[in-house]
Amino acid sequence: MKFIKENWKGILLCIGLAVPASLLGGQFPVIGGPVFAILAGMILAPLVKRYEPFGAGIKFTSKKILQYAVVLLGFGMNLEVVMQTGKQSLPIIICTITTSLVIAYILHRALDIPGNISTLVGVGSSICGGSAIAATAPVIDADEEEVAQAISVIFLFNILAALTFPALGAAIGFSTTSGEAFGIFAGTAVNDTSSVTAAASTWDSIYHLGTQTLDKAVTVKLTRTLAIIPITLVLAVRRARKAESENGGKISLRQVFPFFILFFIGASVITTVAVAAGVPAEVFLPMKDLSKFFIVMAMGAIGLQTDVVKLIKSGAKPILMGLSCWIGITLVSLGLQHVMNIW
């Protein structure tokens, strides 16, 4: 009862932001619901910050609801299908993820970009955009402004990719009679699921391929999403060691371990076993939809806690980092596909 009394106003406000943002995201998938929510939150932030009763619920949404969204994301993962696709795309996925993380680390050191923002931009660029940022933020204890900064950077290059990659694919000679090559390219080189879907659907529409490209791109994208597991675990260990060195005492890994990732894995296993037993995959669609809605809610909450002026002032270096990661991933994906004769 106490929890409801303290949090209901803030949670209800986040739901109120998430509903229209989700509807707008459906109409404009290139932008996506999370971006509409975070922008609306930033606009309302100066007003809402004056009213203390909203604070607890907004904070709960930005932290806990974000973790629940990652757990529910697991219900969209059929590990059997992912592993089958991974046989072909896994080398490209590993190399693109490594490229992005290395570039982010180098620029973090060279340009003195804050560590949390560098990590969020690196994993957001390389794994799965907003979902990866949502999974990583609690592990590294990133604050709302750092999350908003990373989401803003990822959003910019999501739109550029969705708009330019179909033309790029045609210019460099991807097969127009099959969606396989462009599907792998979109699935490995585009950040967020909404933009992967937009780019792949455009290719299908231009060359009358039905859903060939979309099916391939989304499956490759799901394979990339699994990288959330090792990345978050490594970051948890790193955070524990850093805390020990700074505080001079022993920090238990249990204190920083991302237990919600275990639930994400459990949800994936449940989906895989159920589908193998004959349960239609459509049964899990409500869970996936709820996961998306929770992410939109959480992004609205993050927007409500963000200082826009501070965000703008610190924006140039993270954008340069995002651009560098995006170009690096694109070149590595194209180069490896050429080497592997996927074109």
Side-chain angles (χ1 to χ4, degrees), residues 169-222:
I172 62 180
F174 275 133
S175 171
T176 57
T177 58
S178 166
E180 182 172 334
F182 189 81
I184 292 175
F185 176 50
T188 54
V190 183
N191 299 333
D192 207 70
T193 303
S194 59
S195 295
V196 170
T197 300
S201 297
T202 298
W203 189 267
D204 278 333
S205 177
I206 292 172
Y207 299 109
H208 310 289
L209 297 174
T211 61
Q212 284 184 41
T213 313
L214 179 61
D215 293 343
K216 188 70 175 182
V218 169
T219 307
V220 171
K221 182 67 170 57
L222 289 177

CSV table of all heavy atoms in Angstrom, one decimal, residues 169-222:
chain,number,residue,atom,x,y,z
A,169,GLY,N,23.0,0.1,-50.3
A,169,GLY,CA,23.0,-1.3,-50.7
A,169,GLY,C,22.9,-1.5,-52.2
A,169,GLY,O,23.5,-2.3,-52.8
A,170,ALA,N,22.0,-0.7,-52.8
A,170,ALA,CA,21.8,-0.7,-54.3
A,170,ALA,C,23.1,-0.2,-55.0
A,170,ALA,O,23.5,-0.8,-56.0
A,170,ALA,CB,20.6,0.1,-54.7
A,171,ALA,N,23.7,0.8,-54.4
A,171,ALA,CA,24.9,1.4,-55.1
A,171,ALA,C,26.1,0.5,-55.1
A,171,ALA,O,26.9,0.4,-56.0
A,171,ALA,CB,25.3,2.7,-54.4
A,172,ILE,N,26.2,-0.4,-54.0
A,172,ILE,CA,27.4,-1.2,-54.0
A,172,ILE,C,27.1,-2.6,-54.5
A,172,ILE,O,28.0,-3.5,-54.6
A,172,ILE,CB,27.9,-1.4,-52.5
A,172,ILE,CG1,26.9,-2.0,-51.6
A,172,ILE,CG2,28.4,0.0,-52.0
A,172,ILE,CD1,27.3,-2.1,-50.2
A,173,GLY,N,25.9,-2.8,-55.0
A,173,GLY,CA,25.6,-4.1,-55.7
A,173,GLY,C,25.0,-5.3,-55.0
A,173,GLY,O,25.2,-6.4,-55.4
A,174,PHE,N,24.3,-5.0,-53.9
A,174,PHE,CA,23.6,-6.1,-53.2
A,174,PHE,C,22.6,-6.8,-54.1
A,174,PHE,O,22.0,-6.1,-55.0
A,174,PHE,CB,22.9,-5.6,-51.9
A,174,PHE,CG,23.8,-5.5,-50.7
A,174,PHE,CD1,23.7,-4.4,-49.9
A,174,PHE,CD2,24.6,-6.6,-50.3
A,174,PHE,CE1,24.5,-4.3,-48.8
A,174,PHE,CE2,25.4,-6.5,-49.2
A,174,PHE,CZ,25.3,-5.4,-48.4
A,175,SER,N,22.4,-8.1,-54.0
A,175,SER,CA,21.5,-8.8,-54.8
A,175,SER,C,20.1,-8.2,-54.6
A,175,SER,O,19.7,-8.0,-53.4
A,175,SER,CB,21.4,-10.3,-54.4
A,175,SER,OG,20.4,-10.9,-55.1
A,176,THR,N,19.4,-8.0,-55.7
A,176,THR,CA,18.0,-7.5,-55.6
A,176,THR,C,17.0,-8.6,-55.8
A,176,THR,O,15.8,-8.3,-55.9
A,176,THR,CB,17.8,-6.3,-56.6
A,176,THR,OG1,18.1,-6.8,-58.0
A,176,THR,CG2,18.7,-5.1,-56.3
A,177,THR,N,17.4,-9.8,-56.0
A,177,THR,CA,16.5,-10.9,-56.2
A,177,THR,C,16.4,-11.7,-54.9
A,177,THR,O,15.6,-12.7,-54.9
A,177,THR,CB,17.0,-11.8,-57.4
A,177,THR,OG1,18.3,-12.3,-57.1
A,177,THR,CG2,17.0,-11.1,-58.7
A,178,SER,N,17.2,-11.4,-53.9
A,178,SER,CA,17.1,-12.1,-52.6
A,178,SER,C,17.3,-11.0,-51.5
A,178,SER,O,18.1,-10.1,-51.7
A,178,SER,CB,18.2,-13.1,-52.6
A,178,SER,OG,18.4,-13.6,-51.2
A,179,GLY,N,16.7,-11.3,-50.4
A,179,GLY,CA,16.8,-10.3,-49.3
A,179,GLY,C,17.9,-10.7,-48.3
A,179,GLY,O,18.1,-10.0,-47.3
A,180,GLU,N,18.7,-11.8,-48.6
A,180,GLU,CA,19.6,-12.3,-47.7
A,180,GLU,C,20.8,-11.3,-47.4
A,180,GLU,O,21.1,-11.0,-46.2
A,180,GLU,CB,20.2,-13.6,-48.1
A,180,GLU,CG,21.2,-14.2,-47.2
A,180,GLU,CD,21.6,-15.6,-47.6
A,180,GLU,OE1,20.8,-16.3,-48.3
A,180,GLU,OE2,22.7,-16.0,-47.2
A,181,ALA,N,21.4,-10.8,-48.4
A,181,ALA,CA,22.6,-10.0,-48.2
A,181,ALA,C,22.2,-8.7,-47.5
A,181,ALA,O,22.9,-8.3,-46.5
A,181,ALA,CB,23.2,-9.7,-49.6
A,182,PHE,N,21.2,-8.0,-48.0
A,182,PHE,CA,20.8,-6.7,-47.4
A,182,PHE,C,20.3,-7.0,-46.0
A,182,PHE,O,20.4,-6.1,-45.1
A,182,PHE,CB,19.8,-5.9,-48.2
A,182,PHE,CG,19.6,-4.5,-47.7
A,182,PHE,CD1,20.5,-3.5,-48.0
A,182,PHE,CD2,18.5,-4.3,-46.9
A,182,PHE,CE1,20.3,-2.2,-47.5
A,182,PHE,CE2,18.3,-3.0,-46.4
A,182,PHE,CZ,19.2,-2.0,-46.7
A,183,GLY,N,19.6,-8.1,-45.8
A,183,GLY,CA,19.0,-8.4,-44.5
A,183,GLY,C,20.1,-8.6,-43.5
A,183,GLY,O,20.0,-8.1,-42.3
A,184,ILE,N,21.2,-9.2,-43.8
A,184,ILE,CA,22.4,-9.4,-42.9
A,184,ILE,C,23.0,-8.0,-42.6
A,184,ILE,O,23.4,-7.7,-41.5
A,184,ILE,CB,23.4,-10.4,-43.5
A,184,ILE,CG1,22.8,-11.8,-43.5
A,184,ILE,CG2,24.7,-10.4,-42.7
A,184,ILE,CD1,23.7,-12.8,-44.2
A,185,PHE,N,23.1,-7.2,-43.7
A,185,PHE,CA,23.7,-5.9,-43.6
A,185,PHE,C,22.9,-5.0,-42.6
A,185,PHE,O,23.4,-4.5,-41.6
A,185,PHE,CB,23.8,-5.2,-44.9
A,185,PHE,CG,24.3,-3.8,-44.9
A,185,PHE,CD1,25.5,-3.5,-44.2
A,185,PHE,CD2,23.6,-2.8,-45.5
A,185,PHE,CE1,25.9,-2.2,-44.2
A,185,PHE,CE2,24.1,-1.5,-45.5
A,185,PHE,CZ,25.2,-1.2,-44.8
A,186,ALA,N,21.6,-5.0,-42.8
A,186,ALA,CA,20.7,-4.2,-41.9
A,186,ALA,C,20.7,-4.7,-40.5
A,186,ALA,O,20.8,-4.0,-39.5
A,186,ALA,CB,19.3,-4.2,-42.5
A,187,GLY,N,20.7,-6.1,-40.4
A,187,GLY,CA,20.7,-6.7,-39.1
A,187,GLY,C,22.0,-6.5,-38.3
A,187,GLY,O,21.9,-6.5,-37.0
A,188,THR,N,23.1,-6.3,-38.9
A,188,THR,CA,24.4,-6.1,-38.2
A,188,THR,C,24.8,-4.7,-38.1
A,188,THR,O,25.6,-4.3,-37.2
A,188,THR,CB,25.5,-6.9,-38.9
A,188,THR,OG1,25.6,-6.6,-40.3
A,188,THR,CG2,25.2,-8.4,-38.8
A,189,ALA,N,24.4,-3.8,-39.0
A,189,ALA,CA,24.9,-2.5,-39.1
A,189,ALA,C,24.0,-1.4,-38.6
A,189,ALA,O,24.4,-0.2,-38.4
A,189,ALA,CB,25.4,-2.2,-40.5
A,190,VAL,N,22.7,-1.7,-38.5
A,190,VAL,CA,21.7,-0.7,-38.0
A,190,VAL,C,21.5,-0.9,-36.5
A,190,VAL,O,21.4,-2.0,-36.0
A,190,VAL,CB,20.4,-0.8,-38.7
A,190,VAL,CG1,19.4,0.3,-38.3
A,190,VAL,CG2,20.6,-0.7,-40.3
A,191,ASN,N,21.4,0.2,-35.7
A,191,ASN,CA,21.4,0.1,-34.3
A,191,ASN,C,20.1,-0.5,-33.7
A,191,ASN,O,20.1,-1.6,-33.0
A,191,ASN,CB,21.6,1.4,-33.6
A,191,ASN,CG,22.9,2.0,-34.0
A,191,ASN,OD1,23.9,1.3,-34.3
A,191,ASN,ND2,23.0,3.4,-34.0
A,192,ASP,N,19.0,0.2,-33.9
A,192,ASP,CA,17.7,-0.2,-33.2
A,192,ASP,C,16.8,-1.0,-34.0
A,192,ASP,O,16.8,-0.9,-35.3
A,192,ASP,CB,17.0,1.1,-32.7
A,192,ASP,CG,16.2,0.9,-31.5
A,192,ASP,OD1,16.7,0.7,-30.4
A,192,ASP,OD2,15.0,1.0,-31.6
A,193,THR,N,16.0,-1.8,-33.4
A,193,THR,CA,15.0,-2.7,-34.1
A,193,THR,C,14.1,-1.9,-35.0
A,193,THR,O,13.9,-2.4,-36.1
A,193,THR,CB,14.2,-3.5,-33.1
A,193,THR,OG1,15.1,-4.2,-32.2
A,193,THR,CG2,13.3,-4.5,-33.8
A,194,SER,N,13.6,-0.8,-34.6
A,194,SER,CA,12.7,0.0,-35.4
A,194,SER,C,13.3,0.4,-36.7
A,194,SER,O,12.7,0.3,-37.8
A,194,SER,CB,12.1,1.2,-34.7
A,194,SER,OG,13.2,2.0,-34.3
A,195,SER,N,14.6,0.8,-36.6
A,195,SER,CA,15.3,1.2,-37.9
A,195,SER,C,15.7,0.1,-38.7
A,195,SER,O,15.8,0.2,-39.9
A,195,SER,CB,16.5,2.1,-37.5
A,195,SER,OG,16.1,3.3,-36.9
A,196,VAL,N,16.1,-1.1,-38.1
A,196,VAL,CA,16.3,-2.3,-38.8
A,196,VAL,C,15.1,-2.7,-39.6
A,196,VAL,O,15.2,-3.0,-40.8
A,196,VAL,CB,16.7,-3.5,-37.9
A,196,VAL,CG1,16.8,-4.8,-38.6
A,196,VAL,CG2,18.1,-3.2,-37.2
A,197,THR,N,14.0,-2.6,-39.0
A,197,THR,CA,12.7,-3.0,-39.7
A,197,THR,C,12.4,-2.0,-40.8
A,197,THR,O,12.0,-2.4,-41.9
A,197,THR,CB,11.5,-2.9,-38.6
A,197,THR,OG1,11.8,-3.9,-37.6
A,197,THR,CG2,10.2,-3.3,-39.3
A,198,ALA,N,12.6,-0.7,-40.6
A,198,ALA,CA,12.3,0.3,-41.6
A,198,ALA,C,13.2,0.1,-42.8
A,198,ALA,O,12.8,0.1,-44.0
A,198,ALA,CB,12.5,1.7,-41.0
A,199,ALA,N,14.5,-0.1,-42.6
A,199,ALA,CA,15.5,-0.3,-43.7
A,199,ALA,C,15.2,-1.6,-44.5
A,199,ALA,O,15.2,-1.6,-45.7
A,199,ALA,CB,16.9,-0.3,-43.2
A,200,ALA,N,14.9,-2.7,-43.8
A,200,ALA,CA,14.7,-4.0,-44.4
A,200,ALA,C,13.4,-3.9,-45.2
A,200,ALA,O,13.3,-4.5,-46.3
A,200,ALA,CB,14.7,-5.1,-43.4
A,201,SER,N,12.3,-3.3,-44.6
A,201,SER,CA,11.0,-3.2,-45.3
A,201,SER,C,11.1,-2.4,-46.5
A,201,SER,O,10.5,-2.7,-47.5
A,201,SER,CB,10.0,-2.7,-44.3
A,201,SER,OG,9.8,-3.5,-43.2
A,202,THR,N,11.9,-1.4,-46.5
A,202,THR,CA,12.1,-0.5,-47.7
A,202,THR,C,12.7,-1.3,-48.8
A,202,THR,O,12.3,-1.3,-50.0
A,202,THR,CB,13.0,0.7,-47.4
A,202,THR,OG1,12.4,1.5,-46.3
A,202,THR,CG2,13.3,1.5,-48.6
A,203,TRP,N,13.7,-2.1,-48.5
A,203,TRP,CA,14.4,-3.0,-49.5
A,203,TRP,C,13.4,-4.0,-50.1
A,203,TRP,O,13.3,-4.2,-51.3
A,203,TRP,CB,15.6,-3.7,-48.9
A,203,TRP,CG,16.5,-4.4,-49.8
A,203,TRP,CD1,16.4,-5.7,-50.2
A,203,TRP,CD2,17.5,-3.9,-50.6
A,203,TRP,NE1,17.3,-6.1,-51.1
A,203,TRP,CE2,18.1,-4.9,-51.4
A,203,TRP,CE3,18.1,-2.6,-50.7
A,203,TRP,CZ2,19.2,-4.8,-52.2
A,203,TRP,CZ3,19.2,-2.5,-51.5
A,203,TRP,CH2,19.7,-3.5,-52.3
A,204,ASP,N,12.6,-4.6,-49.2
A,204,ASP,CA,11.6,-5.6,-49.7
A,204,ASP,C,10.6,-4.9,-50.6
A,204,ASP,O,10.2,-5.4,-51.6
A,204,ASP,CB,10.8,-6.2,-48.5
A,204,ASP,CG,11.6,-7.3,-47.8
A,204,ASP,OD1,12.3,-8.0,-48.5
A,204,ASP,OD2,11.4,-7.5,-46.6
A,205,SER,N,10.2,-3.7,-50.2
A,205,SER,CA,9.2,-2.9,-51.0
A,205,SER,C,9.7,-2.5,-52.4
A,205,SER,O,9.0,-2.7,-53.4
A,205,SER,CB,8.7,-1.7,-50.2
A,205,SER,OG,7.8,-0.9,-51.0
A,206,ILE,N,10.9,-2.0,-52.4
A,206,ILE,CA,11.5,-1.6,-53.7
A,206,ILE,C,11.7,-2.7,-54.7
A,206,ILE,O,11.4,-2.6,-55.9
A,206,ILE,CB,12.9,-0.9,-53.4
A,206,ILE,CG1,12.7,0.4,-52.6
A,206,ILE,CG2,13.6,-0.6,-54.7
A,206,ILE,CD1,14.0,1.0,-52.2
A,207,TYR,N,12.1,-3.9,-54.2
A,207,TYR,CA,12.5,-5.0,-55.1
A,207,TYR,C,11.4,-6.1,-55.0
A,207,TYR,O,11.7,-7.2,-55.5
A,207,TYR,CB,13.9,-5.5,-54.8
A,207,TYR,CG,14.9,-4.4,-55.0
A,207,TYR,CD1,15.5,-3.8,-53.9
A,207,TYR,CD2,15.2,-3.9,-56.3
A,207,TYR,CE1,16.5,-2.8,-54.1
A,207,TYR,CE2,16.1,-2.9,-56.4
A,207,TYR,CZ,16.7,-2.3,-55.3
A,207,TYR,OH,17.6,-1.3,-55.5
A,208,HIS,N,10.3,-5.9,-54.4
A,208,HIS,CA,9.2,-6.8,-54.4
A,208,HIS,C,9.6,-8.2,-53.9
A,208,HIS,O,9.4,-9.2,-54.6
A,208,HIS,CB,8.6,-6.9,-55.8
A,208,HIS,CG,8.3,-5.6,-56.5
A,208,HIS,ND1,7.2,-4.8,-56.0
A,208,HIS,CD2,8.9,-5.0,-57.5
A,208,HIS,CE1,7.2,-3.7,-56.8
A,208,HIS,NE2,8.2,-3.8,-57.7
A,209,LEU,N,10.2,-8.2,-52.7
A,209,LEU,CA,10.7,-9.5,-52.1
A,209,LEU,C,9.8,-10.0,-51.0
A,209,LEU,O,10.2,-10.9,-50.3
A,209,LEU,CB,12.1,-9.2,-51.6
A,209,LEU,CG,13.1,-8.8,-52.7
A,209,LEU,CD1,14.5,-8.5,-52.0
A,209,LEU,CD2,13.3,-10.0,-53.7
A,210,GLY,N,8.6,-9.5,-50.9
A,210,GLY,CA,7.7,-10.0,-49.8
A,210,GLY,C,8.3,-9.5,-48.5
A,210,GLY,O,8.3,-8.3,-48.2
A,211,THR,N,8.6,-10.5,-47.6
A,211,THR,CA,9.2,-10.2,-46.3
A,211,THR,C,10.6,-10.9,-46.2
A,211,THR,O,11.1,-11.1,-45.1
A,211,THR,CB,8.3,-10.6,-45.2
A,211,THR,OG1,8.1,-12.0,-45.2
A,211,THR,CG2,7.0,-9.9,-45.2
A,212,GLN,N,11.2,-11.2,-47.3
A,212,GLN,CA,12.5,-12.0,-47.2
A,212,GLN,C,13.6,-11.2,-46.4
A,212,GLN,O,14.2,-11.7,-45.5
A,212,GLN,CB,13.1,-12.2,-48.6
A,212,GLN,CG,12.4,-13.3,-49.5
A,212,GLN,CD,13.1,-13.4,-50.8
A,212,GLN,OE1,14.3,-13.4,-50.9
A,212,GLN,NE2,12.3,-13.6,-51.8
A,213,THR,N,13.7,-9.9,-46.8
A,213,THR,CA,14.8,-9.1,-46.2
A,213,THR,C,14.4,-8.8,-44.7
A,213,THR,O,15.3,-8.9,-43.8
A,213,THR,CB,14.9,-7.8,-46.9
A,213,THR,OG1,15.0,-8.0,-48.3
A,213,THR,CG2,16.2,-7.0,-46.5
A,214,LEU,N,13.2,-8.5,-44.5
A,214,LEU,CA,12.7,-8.2,-43.1
A,214,LEU,C,13.0,-9.4,-42.2
A,214,LEU,O,13.5,-9.3,-41.1
A,214,LEU,CB,11.3,-7.8,-43.1
A,214,LEU,CG,10.6,-7.5,-41.7
A,214,LEU,CD1,11.4,-6.3,-41.1
A,214,LEU,CD2,9.2,-7.2,-41.9
A,215,ASP,N,12.6,-10.6,-42.6
A,215,ASP,CA,12.7,-11.8,-41.8
A,215,ASP,C,14.2,-12.1,-41.5
A,215,ASP,O,14.5,-12.4,-40.3
A,215,ASP,CB,12.1,-13.0,-42.5
A,215,ASP,CG,10.6,-12.9,-42.7
A,215,ASP,OD1,10.0,-12.1,-42.0
A,215,ASP,OD2,10.1,-13.7,-43.5
A,216,LYS,N,15.0,-11.9,-42.5
A,216,LYS,CA,16.5,-12.2,-42.3
A,216,LYS,C,17.0,-11.1,-41.3
A,216,LYS,O,17.8,-11.4,-40.4
A,216,LYS,CB,17.2,-12.1,-43.6
A,216,LYS,CG,18.7,-12.5,-43.5
A,216,LYS,CD,18.8,-14.0,-43.3
A,216,LYS,CE,20.2,-14.5,-43.3
A,216,LYS,NZ,20.3,-15.9,-43.1
A,217,ALA,N,16.7,-9.8,-41.6
A,217,ALA,CA,17.3,-8.7,-40.8
A,217,ALA,C,16.9,-8.9,-39.3
A,217,ALA,O,17.7,-8.7,-38.4
A,217,ALA,CB,16.8,-7.4,-41.3
A,218,VAL,N,15.6,-9.1,-39.0
A,218,VAL,CA,15.1,-9.2,-37.7
A,218,VAL,C,15.7,-10.4,-36.9
A,218,VAL,O,16.1,-10.3,-35.7
A,218,VAL,CB,13.6,-9.3,-37.6
A,218,VAL,CG1,13.1,-9.7,-36.2
A,218,VAL,CG2,12.9,-8.0,-38.1
A,219,THR,N,15.9,-11.5,-37.6
A,219,THR,CA,16.5,-12.7,-37.0
A,219,THR,C,18.0,-12.4,-36.6
A,219,THR,O,18.5,-12.8,-35.5
A,219,THR,CB,16.4,-13.9,-37.9
A,219,THR,OG1,15.1,-14.1,-38.2
A,219,THR,CG2,16.9,-15.2,-37.1
A,220,VAL,N,18.7,-11.8,-37.6
A,220,VAL,CA,20.1,-11.4,-37.3
A,220,VAL,C,20.2,-10.4,-36.1
A,220,VAL,O,21.0,-10.5,-35.2
A,220,VAL,CB,20.8,-10.8,-38.5
A,220,VAL,CG1,22.1,-10.2,-38.2
A,220,VAL,CG2,20.9,-11.9,-39.6
A,221,LYS,N,19.2,-9.5,-36.1
A,221,LYS,CA,19.2,-8.5,-35.0
A,221,LYS,C,18.9,-9.2,-33.7
A,221,LYS,O,19.5,-8.8,-32.7
A,221,LYS,CB,18.0,-7.5,-35.3
A,221,LYS,CG,17.9,-6.4,-34.3
A,221,LYS,CD,19.0,-5.5,-34.3
A,221,LYS,CE,18.8,-4.3,-33.5
A,221,LYS,NZ,18.4,-4.6,-32.1
A,222,LEU,N,18.1,-10.2,-33.6
A,222,LEU,CA,17.9,-10.9,-32.4
A,222,LEU,C,19.1,-11.7,-31.9
A,222,LEU,O,19.4,-11.8,-30.7
A,222,LEU,CB,16.7,-12.0,-32.6
A,222,LEU,CG,15.3,-11.4,-32.7
A,222,LEU,CD1,14.3,-12.5,-33.0
A,222,LEU,CD2,14.9,-10.6,-31.5
